[in-house]
Amino acid sequence: MQGFDRKFRDFPDYIIGITREIWEGRGIATLHDYYAPDIVVRSPSSVVVGNRGVIAATMATLSEFPDRTLLGEDVIWSGTPETGMLSSHRIMSHATHSGDGVYGAATGRKLRYRILADCHARNNAIDDEWLIRDQGAIVRQLGQDPKAYARDLITREGGPAACLRPCTPETDVAGPYSGTGNDDERGARYADILTRIMNADLAVIPKAYDRAVQSHYPGGTEDHGHFAVDRFWIGLRAAFPSADFAIHHVIGRDDPEMPPRAAIRWSLTGRHDGWGVFGAPTGAPVHVMGISHAEFGPWGLRREFTLYDETAIWKQILLATGDVEDATGPQT
């Protein structure tokens, strides 16, 4: 761990350790050290540059969810301490909605949702990040609908002209990390599976996935078997049938006491021109940021975790179609 604090025994220990220190240990000030001053943090909902913005967002989240815990399920990583390392961190978060904030007036409801975060680190600091929270799971547990939440958010952010713009190729900001992962065969295997699915070769699912595959998808959806996998991927692709599918980062690993696994960051960029999980086609330009994790076993892909932000997709659709309402009333 050259260049990193000696208290961390390896890179996964660093990622899990600083996450706990920042959130549960209330070490928010450590973000001045653990996050580079000019870090780029991309979430589907926005692009933030600089650790001051990250600190402000962290405090706002803790004000709304003061008992929030972040349980690190896995860190799939590539690179070296000398050249920089990229972690794909899978987190299960538990929290109680105890304060007013971006999700509205406090409800007292207890939440459970996943997060997937790709972070690049050098010299004990993270300087580039891609972060996806399961916003669909959060808002549903708060009794809201993702589309209605997105419409209300546009209004609360000042209307279509003033609201935060989701992360798209046009709003993205280049960061210091330009790597594409490693060449481990597990990553290549998973990349091939996802590419075939996105090319409508759904026959790959019964061939490549364990018959008892466990699937974990947006909205807190969890299921078993091939049908659930087929239904999820075809529902997404059917909504954006002409969109360009791109794989941006691929990691494969085979570590002691862990199953062989892979992490892939991908996107769909195009138009909402089909019937699928986002309703009637609108023709709206949409960018879907996705991260997927897979674990392999003797009978194929045995566990799959995929996240995208439903509310950020709805926000793009609503802004493009004018199906929004701001402080001055409906916009058409």
Side-chain angles (χ1 to χ4, degrees), residues 35 153 161 220 277 321:
Y35 273 33
L153 187 63
V277 291
T321 59

Side-chain angles (χ1 to χ4, degrees), residues 28 31-32 35-39 48-59:
I28 301 172
L31 285 166
H32 289 292
Y35 273 33
D38 55 353
I39 183 175
V48 176
V49 179
N51 62 14
R52 291 187 180 276
V54 176
I55 291 169
T58 302
M59 290 192 293

